[in-house]
């Protein structure tokens, strides 16, 4: 794992670039929350980068959450304790968390500060923000009609400290997870589907076995290479998310990495995005549209291609699909 981490940090992007920072934050967060200790080289790229974080923060304060997340993950994985507290002091002295534009980002800032017993916002503002986020993630209908699975994953991660805190959440969150998972599956977004499976574990729920099997098959089918790939062909984040799902389920993760593993991942057969055809079919059906899957399936299949029909039929066999479809189909209403 140490060799793979060094290869990823060295070969994928220029060290310190925005893409490098985004991917490194994602990977390090996964390693830390999954307790993947003893994977960082004492004299490797990330150790030297960690030592420069305070200076980078002052030059690029808008990326403070990524920098602080990296510092905290590094210190918790290695036992180091030098940069994060000073970075927090600097961030709070400039009141950066209150400048966030939305509640999910404010919640992330609050979670980062709470990891060292600090408060990003005044107590009353923090509680109001948490209440708004909980009300949002309880709106299961929203997650059946648009790609919001990543937001749900982030919100549940920050609220539960990535599964380490037993938090009482609205019961409707289970339906939001269900809907976000079905939406990701139909859109061919296996990376988000893997994260939704992880988010189930945060709230002590088991995700559908069919989803975990699909993500595992996707992971097994990835080709690992040391040849750089164009952005739209690279599946690195899908690789990390799928391994996170395995780790969260108590299964061996990163079984295919070694010192010789390349840092690029190719999905030879990209998952099918059936949503454009399904949504076009629903629009074509128009006033005949209902939320009853039993009534709608034959009508829909007549408007879909063979692959889209197979995917929709396979997806419909997972428990909870009919309740998802009732909202997803946007039944026609006469105004």
């Amino acid at each position: 794992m140490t060799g793979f981490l060094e290869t990823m940090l060295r070969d994928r992007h220029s060290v310190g670039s925005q893409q490098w920072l985004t991917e490194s934050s994602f990977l390090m967060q996964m390693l830390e929350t999954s307790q993947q200790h003893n994977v960082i080289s004492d004299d490797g790229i990330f150790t030297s980068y960690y030592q420069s974080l305070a200076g980078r923060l002052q030059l690029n304060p808008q990326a403070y959450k990524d920098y602080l997340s990296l510092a905290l993950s590094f210190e918790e994985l290695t036992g180091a304790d030098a940069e994060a507290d000073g970075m927090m002091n600097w961030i709070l002295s400039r009141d950066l968390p209150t400048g966030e534009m939305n509640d999910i980002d404010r919640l992330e800032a609050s979670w980062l500060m709470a990891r060292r017993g600090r408060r990003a916002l005044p107590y009353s503002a923090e509680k109001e923000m948490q209440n708004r986020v909980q009300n949002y993630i309880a709106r299961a209908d929203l997650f059946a009609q648009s790609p919001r699975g990543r937001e749900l994953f982030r919100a549940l991660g920050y609220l539960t400290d990535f599964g380490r805190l037993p938090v009482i959440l609205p019961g409707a969150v289970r339906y939001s997870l269900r809907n976000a998972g079905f939406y990701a599956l139909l859109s061919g977004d296996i990376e988000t589907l893997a994260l939704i499976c992880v988010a189930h574990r945060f709230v002590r729920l088991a995700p559908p076995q069919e989803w975990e099997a699909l993500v595992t098959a996707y992971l097994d089918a990835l080709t690992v290479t040391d040849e750089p790939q164009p952005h739209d062909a690279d599946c690195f984040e899908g690789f990390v998310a799928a391994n996170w799902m395995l780790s969260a389920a108590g299964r061996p993760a990163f079984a295919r990495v070694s010192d010789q593993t390349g840092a690029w991942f190719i999905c030879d057969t990209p998952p099918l995005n059936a949503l454009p055809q399904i949504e076009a079919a629903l629009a074509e059906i128009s006033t005949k549209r209902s939320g009853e899957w039993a009534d709608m399936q034959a009508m829909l299949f007549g408007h879909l291609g063979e692959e889209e029909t197979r995917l929709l039929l396979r997806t419909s066999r997972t428990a909870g699909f009919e309740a998802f479809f009732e909202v997803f189909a946007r039944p026609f209403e006469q105004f």
Side-chain angles (χ1 to χ4, degrees):
M1 190 66 196
T2 300
F4 164 71
L5 185 60
E6 284 296 301
T7 300
M8 189 282 296
L9 293 170
R10 181 188 66 238
D11 294 350
R12 286 186 56 79
H13 304 287
S14 174
V15 175
S17 67
Q18 185 56 54
Q19 190 63 32
W20 186 92
L21 184 60
T22 299
E23 290 187 358
S24 298
S25 296
F26 181 56
L27 178 56
M28 290 293 288
Q29 191 173 80
M30 179 270 164
L31 294 173
E32 189 273 318
T33 56
S34 300
Q35 300 297 300
Q36 301 278 341
H37 294 282
N38 303 315
V39 297
I40 298 176
S41 172
D42 291 339
D43 57 356
I45 294 170
F46 198 82
T47 299
S48 60
Y49 185 82
Y50 163 77
Q51 294 166 350
S52 73
L53 279 172
R56 292 177 182 273
L57 170 63
Q58 294 179 37
L59 286 173
N60 189 20
Q62 65 268 27
Y64 78 92
K65 295 194 300 297
D66 283 332
Y67 290 136
L68 183 56
S69 178
L70 283 172
L72 289 166
S73 294
F74 180 88
E75 292 176 6
E76 288 164 18
L77 286 168
T78 65
D81 186 14
E83 298 294 338
D85 287 342
M87 292 169 66
M88 283 184 175
N89 291 337
W90 191 88
I91 291 165
L92 292 174
S93 72
R94 279 134 183 94
D95 209 18
L96 296 182
T98 61
E100 295 293 349
M101 294 291 290
N102 64 68
D103 280 333
I104 301 294
D105 287 332
R106 280 188 285 272
L107 183 63
E108 180 182 8
S110 177
W111 168 71
L112 288 167
M113 293 295 173
R115 289 169 72 176
R116 291 290 169 83
R118 311 290 290 275
R119 192 177 296 284
L121 305 170
Y123 177 79
S124 59
E126 191 164 290
K127 295 304 293 183
E128 290 171 1
M129 175 262 298
Q130 290 177 353
N131 288 337
R132 287 194 301 271
V133 172
Q134 291 201 32
N135 289 336
Y136 169 65
I137 63 176
R139 285 284 308 274
D141 58 314
L142 298 177
F143 298 96
Q145 297 180 342
S146 57
R148 304 182 188 218
R150 287 296 192 95
E151 288 185 352
L152 182 57
F153 168 80
R154 291 180 64 201
L156 289 175
Y158 305 144
L159 287 169
T160 68
D161 191 21
F162 286 81
R164 290 175 288 206
L165 291 177
V167 179
I168 298 175
L169 295 169
V173 167
R174 69 173 59 237
Y175 305 120
S176 297
L177 284 165
R178 175 200 67 198
N179 289 350
F182 279 125
Y183 192 96
L185 201 162
L186 291 177
S187 62
D189 188 352
I190 303 302
E191 180 182 334
T192 296
L193 183 65
L195 294 178
I196 291 298
C197 289
V198 176
H200 275 75
R201 305 289 181 180
F202 294 161
V203 293
R204 313 299 196 268
L205 294 174
Q209 293 181 353
E210 298 92 337
W211 295 359
E212 289 188 314
L214 187 64
V215 173
T216 302
Y218 164 85
L219 177 62
D220 291 342
L222 291 180
T223 298
V224 187
T225 178
D226 56 5
E227 291 293 326
Q229 300 296 310
H231 178 72
D232 59 351
D234 178 50
C235 300
F236 172 76
E237 291 196 2
F239 170 80
V240 175
N243 278 287
W244 196 341
M245 183 199 77
L246 294 178
S247 178
R251 297 162 60 189
F254 293 102
R256 296 173 61 194
V257 306
S258 70
D259 289 348
Q260 289 75 44
T261 300
W264 303 87
F265 298 84
I266 307 170
C267 184
D268 295 318
T269 307
L272 174 67
N273 179 4
L275 276 182
Q277 274 207 24
I278 294 172
E279 291 177 342
L282 289 170
E284 182 71 20
I285 294 168
S286 189
T287 57
K288 298 178 182 179
R289 191 171 68 242
S290 82
E292 296 295 328
W293 171 241
D295 298 335
M296 290 286 290
Q297 54 181 310
M299 202 179 305
L300 271 176
F301 292 156
H303 289 77
L304 299 178
E306 185 176 338
E307 290 187 344
E308 287 77 11
T309 296
R310 277 202 300 268
L311 174 60
L312 186 56
L313 187 58
R314 186 171 66 245
T315 303
S316 71
R317 294 174 182 147
T318 298
F321 178 81
E322 291 187 5
F324 159 78
F325 184 81
E326 186 176 356
V327 181
F328 169 78
R330 299 173 176 85
F332 179 79
E333 297 180 22
Q334 187 69 51
F335 293 117

